[in-house]
Structure formats: C-alpha cells, structure tokens
Amino acid sequence: MNKKDLLVKIHGYVASDGGIYFKKCKDIHGKKLRIRKRLRTYFYNTEEVLIKDFIKALKKLYPKIKSIKYRPKRYEVRVENHRISKDILKLGKIGSKVWEFPSGLNKRQKIIWIRAFVDGEGSVCNSDYHRYIVIDSINGLGLKKVAFNLKSLGIENHFYKFNFKGYIFYRIKISRKINLIKFYNVIGFNHPKRMRRLKEAINSYKYNI
C-alpha cells in the first residue's frame, strides 16, 4: 500500500468505529503555561486483529509516531497527534452522523475504505435460508454513497430506511449468492470471524450458480 492507501484505510476504520475530538492540552511556551485545543483520534474494536491492523497502518504511514496508546481492557486505541488527526479529516468528516465517503478515490482505494468500514458496521447472516450481509449506520447520506460505490464495483445491494425503538437507521443489504461471492472476492473483511461466516454462507447454498 502507498501512503494514500494507508490513510484511506485509517479513515475507514475511524469512520466506522472511532472518532476525532478536541481535547484541551497544557504545555509550556517560553515561561508561560499555554492551554490549546488539540485533535485526538480514537478507534474502538473488540477484535484484536483489527486493532493490530489499525496500529500497523498508522506506524507504516507515520514511522516516527510515538503517540499511540492502546488500552486492551477498553478495546481503545488513542492517537495523541494533532497532525495525524488533521490528515485523516482531509479525506472527509468523521462522526457517527456526519462521516463522509472520501471523494477522488481510485478503485483500489474504494475497496480498501469499504473493507475497513464494514469491519465495524457490517455483519453476516447465515441462518436457515437467510444469507446476506448488512451494513448499518445512522448516517443515511454517507451510507447511500457506500451503496452507490458497491454497485460501481459490481455488487448489487438494496438500501433501506427503518425505525427501531424510535430511532432512524439506514441499512445496506447484500443478498443472493452471486453478490455474496462478488463481495467475498472484491471487498472481503479484515475481520476473520466475519470473513469465515461469509464463506460458510456462500458454501451453504445447495446449488452452484
């Protein structure tokens, strides 16, 4: 991966399971105590493989970085680096309601971003005769762009809006064996359990296409 690819992956991870926030920081400027607002990046996930992949991408893109703090008990990675946070935001907003699918990506980068994003927001159903992938978000505009880009990669899907306990959610649903195979071969998951579950769902079809 080149530098842009790595930043795209990091953005996808943070857009799905993280955030970028301002934090008041103290330092000494000359002889005076200075308080400034500095950006901090957070990533949360219970799957250790994804935590390691996120940290690996950061260290590869920023070899001299010393501001990564991992708290295993909280499943949290914190990046205390204002410049890195600004670099991530250059690709698009971050936040559960406002995250953006980066513009100007090539085909490879679209795949990298979607894979990182669905590792957090996607799930695989393989129960009885129900086999499908769902990607959920409260950000309808952002998720529509994901649906559009999946279709541009040849993966047909359906976009839904639904109400759950008084809250509005949006969902992408990918079904039918041909689309599950395309997703498996083109996008896939970094998340090992979801990748395995998707393979099992595909193999559970009685007939080949």
Side-chain angles (χ1 to χ4, degrees), residues 3-63:
K3 290 183 178 180
K4 178 69 176 291
D5 294 348
L6 290 166
L7 189 59
V8 165
K9 173 187 271 194
I10 292 165
H11 187 280
Y13 272 139
V14 178
S16 66
D17 270 338
I20 296 179
Y21 312 102
F22 277 106
K23 183 180 179 181
K24 289 184 179 180
C25 300
K26 298 178 182 179
D27 62 18
I28 301 297
H29 183 67
K31 295 183 179 180
K32 294 182 179 181
L33 178 65
R34 180 171 58 178
I35 299 176
R36 296 184 295 168
K37 284 186 175 181
R38 310 295 285 171
L39 289 168
R40 297 291 181 257
T41 296
Y42 294 82
F43 177 62
Y44 309 90
N45 206 285
T46 57
E47 176 53 58
E48 191 175 358
V49 170
L50 301 184
I51 291 289
K52 288 181 177 179
D53 191 47
F54 178 72
I55 293 174
K56 181 180 177 182
L58 278 169
K59 289 184 175 180
K60 195 169 182 180
L61 183 56
Y62 304 98

Side-chain angles (χ1 to χ4, degrees), residues 4-5 32 35 44 75 82 90 97 103 114 120 156 192 196:
K4 178 69 176 291
D5 294 348
K32 294 182 179 181
I35 299 176
Y44 309 90
Y75 308 107
H82 186 75
K90 286 177 184 177
K97 293 182 180 180
S103 59
I114 294 173
E156 292 299 318
R196 184 171 61 250

Side-chain angles (χ1 to χ4, degrees), residues 150-151 154-158 173-176 179 182:
L150 282 169
K151 287 183 179 180
I155 302 167
E156 292 299 318
N157 60 84
H158 297 280
K173 185 176 181 180
I174 302 167
S175 55
R176 297 181 61 224
N179 293 313
K182 284 181 180 178

Side-chain angles (χ1 to χ4, degrees), residues 39-140:
L39 289 168
R40 297 291 181 257
T41 296
Y42 294 82
F43 177 62
Y44 309 90
N45 206 285
T46 57
E47 176 53 58
E48 191 175 358
V49 170
L50 301 184
I51 291 289
K52 288 181 177 179
D53 191 47
F54 178 72
I55 293 174
K56 181 180 177 182
L58 278 169
K59 289 184 175 180
K60 195 169 182 180
L61 183 56
Y62 304 98
K64 296 181 180 179
I65 188 172
K66 297 179 181 179
S67 54
I68 299 175
K69 294 186 178 181
Y70 174 38
R71 298 180 177 181
K73 291 183 179 180
R74 297 179 63 175
Y75 308 107
E76 174 192 278
V77 179
R78 185 172 69 213
V79 186
E80 298 181 342
N81 188 297
H82 186 75
R83 184 173 70 86
I84 291 175
S85 298
K86 288 184 71 175
D87 286 348
I88 296 170
L89 289 172
K90 286 177 184 177
L91 287 182
K93 293 178 183 177
I94 293 294
S96 57
K97 293 182 180 180
V98 298
W99 59 262
E100 295 176 322
F101 190 100
S103 59
L105 303 185
N106 59 34
K107 181 180 178 180
R108 182 183 68 254
Q109 290 163 350
K110 288 178 181 179
I111 291 169
I112 291 169
W113 191 93
I114 294 173
R115 183 185 300 133
F117 183 79
V118 298
D119 278 326
E121 302 292 358
S123 59
V124 180
C125 176
N126 179 25
S127 177
D128 298 325
Y129 294 102
H130 302 289
R131 308 173 186 91
Y132 53 82
I133 298 166
V134 293
I135 309 165
D136 291 333
S137 178
I138 59 174
N139 179 356

